[in-house]
DNA sequence: CGGTGGACCTGCTGGC
DNA sequence: TGCCAGCAGGTCCACC
């Protein structure tokens, strides 16, 4: 479900409400998510700790704990987090419930169960198997045209798949990959090893622009994404190609095409993108 | 080594 | 109406 802008929107909501709260209990209704949740580790390393901040690395939310510990949450395709007064009853697919004293709770809901939850220490976090291979943040200076050119050298994979490879850059999912390629005027099937610096400059700028604009609009609600306060995003109104198969391009009127790459839909304008 | 295809899950939609 | 194929915003691993 969520790509970087949606996760960042959720992070901002959590960062307003969680710091200073103490995790007083955890209830696991379904431990089998993307990986099996280690309930004992949560009890030992999260319960009783106070939350100091909520940060983000790639699409992972990092709930930092005092005196040490990081509660890591990933929303997969359909994960949602909810902060509020304790619910009267559990809903279907409410898997994890963190009590924050008697009047507040953090609830993790995930229909398809591709999400993740684990706890680790501050020292182990960078080397954690789920995080250690991750590439640069797209909105950081490390994500540059020079970096992309170097990284793509000798590779033959399509630029769409390259952009969605978390070892290359994190946070760019299926929606924003198509949108970025449209802005950069590049067809998704272009082989990365043959692109020149000028192409990477266009693409790098486009990725940053699209992600920042989506964050500014609180993300994209395509079917069911909502933030931690239950609010929908607004960026779906600004999508230029994603999900617009057969509709006219807003720039040149040609019909948007849909192709499948690595099992995922890609959308592009055959006129604007080369 | 790089690249693809399928697996993991549930639920919704559209065609017959 | 019912059934079934196809699709969905992510990640990982086995296999060529």
């Amino acid at each position: 479900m969520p790509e970087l802008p949606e996760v960042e929107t959720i992070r901002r909501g959590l960062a307003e409400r969680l710091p200073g709260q103490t995790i007083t209990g955890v209830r696991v209704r379904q431990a089998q998510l993307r990986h099996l949740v280690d309930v004992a580790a949560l009890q030992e390393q999260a319960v009783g700790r106070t939350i100091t901040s909520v940060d983000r690395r790639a699409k992972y939310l990092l709930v930092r704990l005092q005196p040490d510990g990081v509660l890591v949450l990933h929303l997969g395709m359909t994960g949602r987090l909810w902060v509020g007064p304790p619910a009267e009853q559990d809903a279907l697919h409410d898997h994890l419930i963190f009590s924050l004293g008697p009047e507040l709770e953090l609830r993790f809901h995930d229909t398809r169960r591709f999400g993740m939850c684990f706890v680790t220490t501050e020292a182990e976090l960078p080397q954690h198997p789920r995080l250690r291979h991750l590439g640069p943040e797209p909105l950081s200076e490390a994500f540059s045209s020079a970096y992309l050119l170097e990284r793509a050298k000798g590779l033959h994979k399509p630029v769409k798949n390259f952009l969605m490879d978390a070892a290359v850059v994190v946070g760019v999912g299926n929606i924003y990959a198509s949108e970025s390629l449209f802005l950069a005027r590049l067809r998704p099937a272009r082989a990365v090893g043959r692109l020149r610096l000028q192409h990477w400059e266009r693409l790098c700028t486009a990725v940053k622009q699209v992600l920042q604009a989506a964050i500014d609009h609180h993300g994209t609600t395509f079917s069911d994404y909502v933030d931690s306060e239950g609010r929908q995003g607004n960026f779906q109104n600004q999508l230029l190609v994603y999900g617009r198969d057969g509709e006219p391009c807003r720039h040149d009127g040609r019909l948007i095409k849909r192709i499948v790459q690595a099992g995922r839909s890609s959308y592009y304008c055959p006129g604007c993108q080369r």
Side-chain angles (χ1 to χ4, degrees):
Chain A
M1 167 201 278
E3 301 181 38
L4 188 146
E6 293 74 37
V7 178
E8 177 59 21
T9 300
I10 290 166
R11 186 200 69 76
R12 292 178 182 186
L14 297 178
E16 284 177 18
R17 304 195 62 178
L18 297 188
Q21 300 291 335
T22 298
I23 300 176
T24 51
V26 59
R27 197 154 52 85
V28 177
R29 300 183 65 231
Q30 168 62 271
Q32 189 59 61
L33 305 181
R34 181 67 164 81
H35 306 282
L36 191 67
V37 174
D38 185 340
V39 182
L42 285 184
Q43 295 283 4
E44 286 164 25
Q45 299 176 60
V47 174
R49 312 267 164 113
T50 299
I51 297 167
T52 57
S53 65
V54 183
D55 304 308
R56 179 185 60 71
R57 171 71 174 114
K59 297 170 190 163
Y60 292 88
L61 289 162
L62 310 177
V63 180
R64 297 205 136 92
L65 307 172
Q66 208 169 45
D68 184 33
V70 187
L71 176 65
V72 183
L73 295 162
H74 192 290
L75 301 174
M77 292 276 262
T78 53
R80 294 188 194 186
L81 286 167
W82 185 273
V83 181
E88 309 250 322
Q89 51 186 351
D90 300 323
L92 184 65
H93 307 309
D94 281 353
H95 303 312
L96 312 174
I97 301 101
F98 296 89
S99 294
L100 308 167
E103 292 174 18
L104 201 65
E105 69 179 14
L106 172 65
R107 200 165 269 262
F108 179 88
H109 178 283
D110 185 7
T111 304
R112 291 176 71 182
R113 283 192 270 135
F114 291 165
M116 302 178 217
C117 173
F118 55 88
V119 64
T120 185
T121 63
E122 205 62 64
E124 285 173 4
L125 183 68
Q127 303 311 319
H128 192 281
R130 301 276 79 79
L131 291 137
R132 65 184 172 207
H133 69 285
L134 297 175
E137 289 287 329
L139 297 175
S140 72
E141 289 189 11
F143 181 67
S144 65
S145 52
Y147 164 77
L148 286 167
L149 179 69
E150 176 62 25
R151 195 68 209 245
K153 207 179 279 179
L155 300 186
H156 281 269
K157 72 158 73 172
V159 64
K160 159 82 164 10
N161 301 355
F162 182 74
L163 258 191
M164 290 183 66
D165 181 348
V168 172
V169 59
V170 300
V172 183
N174 208 36
I175 295 178
Y176 300 113
S178 280
E179 293 297 307
S180 299
L181 288 165
F182 175 76
L183 281 196
R185 308 193 308 278
L186 289 169
R187 291 202 183 193
R190 288 283 292 268
V192 290
R194 305 164 75 96
L195 295 180
R196 297 191 221 269
L197 187 62
Q198 55 160 343
H199 297 125
W200 293 118
E201 283 167 0
R202 269 158 39 193
L203 187 54
C204 183
T205 302
V207 167
K208 290 174 192 277
Q209 195 178 317
V210 165
L211 293 179
Q212 190 57 57
I215 291 170
D216 293 344
H217 287 84
H218 309 293
T220 298
T221 296
F222 208 67
S223 58
D224 63 353
Y225 158 77
V226 288
D227 70 12
S228 61
E229 309 286 327
R231 293 174 297 222
Q232 300 196 341
N234 294 310
F235 198 70
Q236 60 278 11
N237 309 314
Q238 325 258 334
L239 295 178
L240 298 172
V241 288
Y242 183 86
R244 301 193 61 240
D245 186 17
E247 295 176 36
C249 171
R250 299 191 206 279
H251 185 67
D252 73 355
R254 302 262 312 253
L255 298 187
I256 303 296
K257 280 197 171 188
R258 171 183 176 271
I259 58 172
V260 175
Q261 298 179 283
R264 318 293 301 274
S265 295
S266 303
Y267 301 86
Y268 69 97
C269 171
C272 296
Q273 294 170 258
R274 293 290 164 182

